[in-house]
Amino acid sequence: MRVSAKSHFLYHRVLGANNSLTGYSGGINNKIALLENENIKFAQKKY
């Protein structure tokens, strides 16, 4: 797959193994809020 340097990617949607949360430069709490707003299922740990 070829990806253009101008491509946009919504990094808050990136999840780890087993749908676990991974780091996000905007902060994990912001990532959780964005995912919940989009009704994206993820495995949530207590932060």
Side-chain angles (χ1 to χ4, degrees):
M1 180 173 137
R2 185 176 173 195
V3 178
S4 168
K6 294 181 182 180
S7 294
H8 295 284
F9 190 77
L10 301 174
Y11 287 98
H12 70 272
R13 291 184 180 165
V14 175
L15 298 174
N18 300 322
N19 289 332
S20 62
L21 294 175
T22 59
Y24 176 61
S25 64
I28 199 73
N29 290 327
N30 287 334
K31 180 172 186 161
I32 290 169
L34 289 166
L35 292 171
E36 288 176 341
N37 186 50
E38 295 180 7
N39 295 316
I40 296 175
K41 305 282 188 238
F42 59 92
Q44 184 174 356
K45 296 179 184 176
K46 301 232 182 221
Y47 292 96

